[in-house]
Amino acid sequence: MDIYTIVFFLAMLAEIVIRAPLNQKRKAEKMSERRVTGQEKWFLFLLWIGMFILPIIYAATDWLDFARYQLPAWAGWTGGALIAGAVIVFWRAHADLGLNWSPTLEIREKHELITRGIYGVIRHPMYASQWLWSAAQALLLQNWIAGLASLAVFIPFYFLRVKAEEQLMLEQFGDQYRSYMEKVGAVFPKL
Ligand code: SAH
């Protein structure tokens, strides 16, 4: 295993450690609204394949060796910097969103609109983190299949998810969310 692959799996381990306690705690939460379509389930499944399964196959077998590409060293280290950024943003987003986090589109009975911390800088830090991750994966796992899998799934998923999520947030929080959208950018901070 090369150093870039090791960096990728260390970042994956860090994200599992960040998410696991919250995933456990939220099981006790009562939800007042849940919107999961078949399309959404498919995307989450494909994202899991792209982010976890294909990288594991790439690292543990030689099945994907026919699809290798090679980038200069600076590209690999740029990937390392991007994935470190992804983990930091992921960590802050979990710390600030707390029990309001959900892997799907859900509103809990005690849902609170979070606009503080990293949510005061951008509205979708977890998705911003996923953009960084997907770009980093292409630079770290230098393989047309394992490297590009996250990007290929996340690009369409992002646009569908954000549209549906903001619709839900607007229905739930109305003008409070509308004025939040005016002040705070989606994945890039507003100047
Ligand atoms: N889009 C956000 C959150 C992803 S988790 C991000 O990228 O960080 C998805 C869940 O978060 C959805 O069920 C939605 O109800 C909830 N959510 C999204 N933005 C929120 C906010 N500002 N405050 C509270 N909950 C939020």
Side-chain angles (χ1 to χ4, degrees):
M1 225 190 272
D2 62 28
I3 181 73
Y4 305 134
T5 307
I6 293 171
V7 168
F8 179 84
F9 282 100
L10 284 177
M12 187 186 285
L13 187 67
E15 293 212 341
I16 291 170
V17 169
I18 291 166
R19 181 160 279 180
L22 202 56
N23 211 7
Q24 199 56 36
K25 265 193 244 157
R26 64 178 287 282
K27 290 200 175 121
E29 286 299 306
K30 289 208 181 77
M31 298 299 167
S32 64
E33 172 85 46
R34 187 154 194 268
R35 287 191 194 170
V36 192
T37 61
Q39 186 192 48
E40 163 109 356
K41 278 190 198 155
W42 266 106
F43 266 114
L44 289 175
F45 173 68
L46 291 175
L47 212 50
W48 176 71
I49 302 268
M51 236 184 122
F52 293 100
I53 304 303
L54 288 174
I56 289 170
I57 292 175
Y58 164 82
T61 72
D62 55 12
W63 303 347
L64 301 179
D65 281 5
F66 68 91
R68 280 184 169 277
Y69 55 77
Q70 201 165 8
L71 298 174
W74 62 262
W77 291 111
T78 304
L82 289 178
I83 212 161
V87 171
I88 292 168
V89 173
F90 189 82
W91 163 56
R92 287 319 309 158
H94 282 73
D96 291 330
L97 198 57
L99 288 171
N100 302 296
W101 170 73
S102 161
T104 54
L105 291 185
E106 285 177 318
I107 297 289
R108 61 187 191 124
E109 281 181 2
K110 292 186 234 155
H111 208 99
E112 187 195 343
L113 177 65
I114 305 294
T115 58
R116 59 175 181 267
I118 200 164
Y119 286 86
V121 184
I122 46 176
R123 301 198 299 277
H124 300 297
M126 286 193 201
Y127 305 154
S129 161
Q130 186 66 38
W131 277 117
L132 292 171
W133 181 285
S134 302
Q137 186 169 329
L139 297 173
L140 292 169
L141 308 184
Q142 299 180 4
N143 185 286
W144 289 108
I145 296 168
L148 294 174
S150 276
L151 262 183
V153 184
F154 188 64
I155 291 172
F157 175 77
Y158 172 79
F159 293 100
L160 292 168
R161 166 58 84 89
V162 163
K163 190 162 175 261
E165 183 171 320
E166 297 197 326
Q167 180 63 39
L168 175 66
M169 298 306 279
L170 282 168
E171 282 170 32
Q172 199 68 28
F173 295 101
D175 286 344
Q176 211 187 336
Y177 197 75
R178 213 162 282 121
S179 81
Y180 176 53
M181 287 175 88
E182 277 163 19
K183 282 189 221 119
V184 177
V187 288
F188 292 106
K190 277 191 183 168
L191 295 175

Coordinates of all heavy atoms in Angstrom, one line a residue, residues 19 93 97 100-108 111-115 119 122-128 161-162 165 168-169 173 177 180 186-187, ligand 1:
R19 N -18.2 10.2 13.5 CA -19.7 10.0 13.3 C -20.3 8.9 14.3 O -21.4 9.0 14.7 CB -19.9 9.6 11.9 CG -21.4 9.4 11.6 CD -21.7 9.5 10.1 NE -21.8 10.8 9.7 CZ -22.1 11.2 8.4 NH1 -22.3 10.2 7.5 NH2 -22.2 12.4 8.0
A93 N -18.7 20.2 11.7 CA -20.1 20.1 11.3 C -20.8 19.2 12.3 O -21.9 19.5 12.8 CB -20.3 19.7 9.9
L97 N -23.8 20.6 14.6 CA -25.2 20.1 14.3 C -25.7 19.2 15.3 O -26.9 19.2 15.6 CB -25.2 19.5 12.9 CG -26.5 19.3 12.2 CD1 -27.2 20.7 12.0 CD2 -26.4 18.6 10.8
N100 N -29.2 17.1 15.5 CA -30.0 17.5 14.4 C -29.5 16.9 13.1 O -30.1 17.0 12.0 CB -30.0 19.1 14.2 CG -30.5 19.7 15.5 OD1 -31.7 19.6 15.8 ND2 -29.7 20.4 16.2
W101 N -28.3 16.2 13.2 CA -27.8 15.5 12.1 C -28.6 14.3 11.7 O -29.1 13.6 12.6 CB -26.3 15.1 12.3 CG -25.8 14.2 11.2 CD1 -25.5 14.6 10.0 CD2 -25.7 12.8 11.3 NE1 -25.1 13.5 9.2 CE2 -25.3 12.3 10.0 CE3 -25.9 11.8 12.3 CZ2 -25.0 11.0 9.7 CZ3 -25.7 10.5 12.0 CH2 -25.3 10.1 10.7
S102 N -28.6 14.0 10.4 CA -29.3 12.7 10.0 C -28.7 12.3 8.7 O -28.4 13.2 7.9 CB -30.8 13.0 9.9 OG -31.4 12.0 9.1
P103 N -28.5 11.0 8.4 CA -28.0 10.6 7.1 C -29.0 10.9 6.0 O -28.6 11.0 4.8 CB -27.7 9.1 7.3 CG -28.5 8.7 8.4 CD -28.7 9.9 9.3
T104 N -30.3 10.9 6.4 CA -31.3 11.2 5.4 C -32.0 12.5 5.7 O -31.5 13.2 6.5 CB -32.3 10.1 5.4 OG1 -32.8 9.9 6.7 CG2 -31.8 8.7 5.0
L105 N -33.1 12.8 5.0 CA -33.8 14.1 5.3 C -34.8 13.8 6.4 O -35.8 13.2 6.2 CB -34.4 14.6 4.1 CG -33.4 15.1 3.0 CD1 -34.1 15.8 1.9 CD2 -32.4 16.1 3.6
E106 N -34.5 14.3 7.6 CA -35.4 14.1 8.7 C -35.5 15.3 9.6 O -34.5 16.1 9.7 CB -34.8 12.9 9.6 CG -35.0 11.6 9.0 CD -34.4 10.5 9.9 OE1 -33.3 10.6 10.4 OE2 -35.1 9.5 10.1
I107 N -36.6 15.5 10.2 CA -36.8 16.6 11.2 C -37.1 15.9 12.5 O -38.1 15.1 12.6 CB -37.9 17.6 10.8 CG1 -37.5 18.3 9.5 CG2 -38.1 18.6 11.9 CD1 -36.4 19.3 9.5
R108 N -36.4 16.2 13.6 CA -36.7 15.5 14.9 C -37.7 16.4 15.6 O -37.9 17.6 15.3 CB -35.5 15.2 15.7 CG -34.7 16.4 16.1 CD -33.4 16.1 16.7 NE -32.8 17.3 17.3 CZ -32.4 17.4 18.6 NH1 -32.6 16.4 19.4 NH2 -31.9 18.5 19.0
H111 N -36.2 19.5 16.8 CA -35.3 20.0 15.8 C -35.0 21.5 16.1 O -35.9 22.3 16.3 CB -35.7 19.8 14.4 CG -34.6 19.7 13.4 ND1 -34.2 18.4 13.0 CD2 -33.8 20.6 12.8 CE1 -33.2 18.6 12.1 NE2 -33.0 19.9 12.0
E112 N -33.7 21.9 16.0 CA -33.3 23.2 16.2 C -32.6 23.7 14.9 O -31.8 22.9 14.4 CB -32.3 23.3 17.4 CG -32.0 24.6 17.9 CD -30.7 24.6 18.8 OE1 -30.4 23.5 19.3 OE2 -30.1 25.6 19.0
L113 N -32.8 24.9 14.4 CA -32.1 25.4 13.3 C -30.7 25.9 13.8 O -30.7 26.8 14.6 CB -32.9 26.5 12.6 CG -32.1 27.2 11.4 CD1 -31.9 26.2 10.2 CD2 -32.9 28.4 10.9
I114 N -29.7 25.3 13.3 CA -28.3 25.7 13.7 C -27.8 26.7 12.7 O -27.7 26.5 11.5 CB -27.4 24.4 13.8 CG1 -28.0 23.3 14.7 CG2 -26.0 24.8 14.3 CD1 -28.1 23.7 16.1
T115 N -27.4 27.8 13.3 CA -26.8 28.9 12.4 C -25.5 29.4 13.1 O -24.9 30.4 12.6 CB -27.7 30.1 12.2 OG1 -28.0 30.6 13.5 CG2 -29.0 29.7 11.5
Y119 N -21.8 26.5 10.9 CA -23.1 26.8 10.1 C -23.3 28.3 10.0 O -24.2 28.7 9.3 CB -24.2 26.1 10.8 CG -24.2 24.6 10.5 CD1 -23.5 23.7 11.3 CD2 -24.8 24.1 9.4 CE1 -23.4 22.4 11.0 CE2 -24.8 22.8 9.1 CZ -24.0 21.9 9.9 OH -23.9 20.6 9.5
I122 N -20.9 28.5 6.4 CA -21.5 27.9 5.3 C -22.7 27.1 5.7 O -22.8 26.6 6.9 CB -20.6 27.0 4.4 CG1 -19.7 26.1 5.3 CG2 -19.7 27.9 3.5 CD1 -18.9 25.1 4.5
R123 N -23.7 27.0 4.8 CA -25.0 26.2 5.2 C -24.8 24.7 5.2 O -25.5 24.0 5.8 CB -26.1 26.6 4.3 CG -26.5 28.0 4.3 CD -27.9 28.2 3.7 NE -28.1 27.8 2.3 CZ -27.7 28.5 1.2 NH1 -27.2 29.7 1.3 NH2 -28.0 28.0 0.0
H124 N -23.8 24.3 4.3 CA -23.7 22.8 4.1 C -22.3 22.3 4.3 O -21.7 21.8 3.4 CB -24.2 22.5 2.7 CG -25.6 22.8 2.4 ND1 -26.7 22.3 3.1 CD2 -26.2 23.8 1.6 CE1 -27.8 22.8 2.7 NE2 -27.6 23.7 1.8
P125 N -21.8 22.5 5.5 CA -20.4 22.0 5.7 C -20.2 20.5 5.5 O -19.1 20.2 5.0 CB -20.1 22.4 7.2 CG -21.5 22.6 7.8 CD -22.4 23.1 6.7
M126 N -21.2 19.7 5.8 CA -20.9 18.3 5.6 C -20.8 18.0 4.1 O -20.0 17.1 3.7 CB -22.0 17.4 6.2 CG -21.9 17.4 7.7 SD -23.0 16.1 8.3 CE -23.1 16.8 10.0
Y127 N -21.6 18.7 3.3 CA -21.5 18.5 1.8 C -20.2 19.1 1.3 O -19.6 18.6 0.4 CB -22.7 19.0 1.1 CG -24.0 18.4 1.6 CD1 -25.2 19.1 1.5 CD2 -24.0 17.2 2.3 CE1 -26.4 18.5 2.0 CE2 -25.2 16.6 2.8 CZ -26.4 17.3 2.7 OH -27.5 16.8 3.2
A128 N -19.8 20.3 1.9 CA -18.5 20.9 1.5 C -17.4 19.9 1.8 O -16.5 19.7 1.0 CB -18.3 22.2 2.3
R161 N -29.9 16.5 -3.4 CA -30.1 16.5 -2.0 C -30.3 18.0 -1.5 O -31.2 18.2 -0.7 CB -28.9 15.9 -1.4 CG -28.7 16.1 0.1 CD -29.9 15.6 1.0 NE -29.8 14.2 1.3 CZ -29.2 13.7 2.3 NH1 -28.6 14.4 3.2 NH2 -29.3 12.4 2.6
V162 N -29.4 18.9 -2.0 CA -29.5 20.3 -1.4 C -30.9 20.9 -1.8 O -31.5 21.5 -0.9 CB -28.4 21.1 -2.0 CG1 -28.7 22.6 -1.8 CG2 -27.1 20.8 -1.2
E165 N -33.4 19.2 0.6 CA -33.1 19.6 2.0 C -33.6 21.0 2.2 O -34.2 21.3 3.3 CB -31.7 19.4 2.3 CG -31.3 19.7 3.7 CD -29.9 19.3 4.0 OE1 -29.4 18.2 3.6 OE2 -29.2 20.0 4.8
L168 N -37.3 21.3 2.5 CA -37.7 20.8 3.8 C -37.4 21.9 4.9 O -38.3 22.1 5.7 CB -37.0 19.5 4.1 CG -37.2 18.9 5.5 CD1 -38.7 18.5 5.7 CD2 -36.3 17.7 5.7
M169 N -36.3 22.5 4.9 CA -35.9 23.4 5.9 C -36.8 24.7 5.8 O -37.2 25.3 6.8 CB -34.4 23.8 5.8 CG -33.4 22.7 6.0 SD -33.7 21.8 7.5 CE -32.9 22.9 8.7
F173 N -38.8 25.9 8.8 CA -38.4 27.1 9.5 C -38.7 28.4 8.8 O -38.4 29.5 9.4 CB -36.9 27.0 9.8 CG -36.5 25.9 10.7 CD1 -36.0 24.7 10.2 CD2 -36.6 26.0 12.1 CE1 -35.6 23.6 11.0 CE2 -36.3 24.9 12.9 CZ -35.8 23.7 12.4
Y177 N -35.2 30.4 8.0 CA -34.3 29.8 7.0 C -34.0 30.6 5.8 O -32.9 30.7 5.3 CB -34.8 28.4 6.6 CG -33.7 27.5 6.0 CD1 -32.7 27.0 6.8 CD2 -33.6 27.3 4.6 CE1 -31.6 26.2 6.3 CE2 -32.5 26.6 4.1 CZ -31.5 26.1 4.9 OH -30.5 25.3 4.4
Y180 N -31.5 33.1 6.7 CA -30.2 32.4 6.9 C -29.6 32.2 5.5 O -28.4 32.4 5.3 CB -30.5 31.1 7.6 CG -29.3 30.1 7.7 CD1 -28.1 30.5 8.3 CD2 -29.5 28.8 7.3 CE1 -27.1 29.7 8.4 CE2 -28.4 27.9 7.5 CZ -27.2 28.3 8.0 OH -26.2 27.5 8.2
A186 N -23.9 28.5 0.5 CA -24.1 27.1 0.6 C -22.8 26.3 0.9 O -22.7 25.8 2.0 CB -24.7 26.6 -0.7
V187 N -21.8 26.3 0.0 CA -20.6 25.6 0.4 C -19.4 26.6 0.3 O -18.3 26.2 0.7 CB -20.3 24.4 -0.5 CG1 -21.2 23.2 -0.1 CG2 -20.4 24.7 -2.0
Ligands
SAH1 N1 -26.7 20.1 4.8 C1 -26.0 20.1 6.1 C2 -26.6 19.0 7.0 C3 -26.5 17.6 6.5 S1 -27.3 16.4 7.5 C4 -24.5 20.0 6.0 O1 -24.1 19.8 4.9 O2 -23.8 20.2 7.0 C5 -28.9 16.4 6.9 C6 -29.9 16.8 7.9 O3 -29.5 18.1 8.5 C7 -31.3 17.1 7.4 O4 -32.2 16.1 7.9 C8 -31.7 18.5 7.8 O5 -32.9 18.4 8.5 C9 -30.6 18.9 8.8 N2 -30.2 20.3 8.7 C10 -29.6 20.8 7.6 N3 -29.2 22.1 7.9 C11 -29.5 22.3 9.2 C12 -29.4 23.4 10.0 N4 -28.8 24.6 9.7 N5 -29.8 23.3 11.3 C13 -30.4 22.2 11.7 N6 -30.6 21.1 10.9 C14 -30.2 21.2 9.7

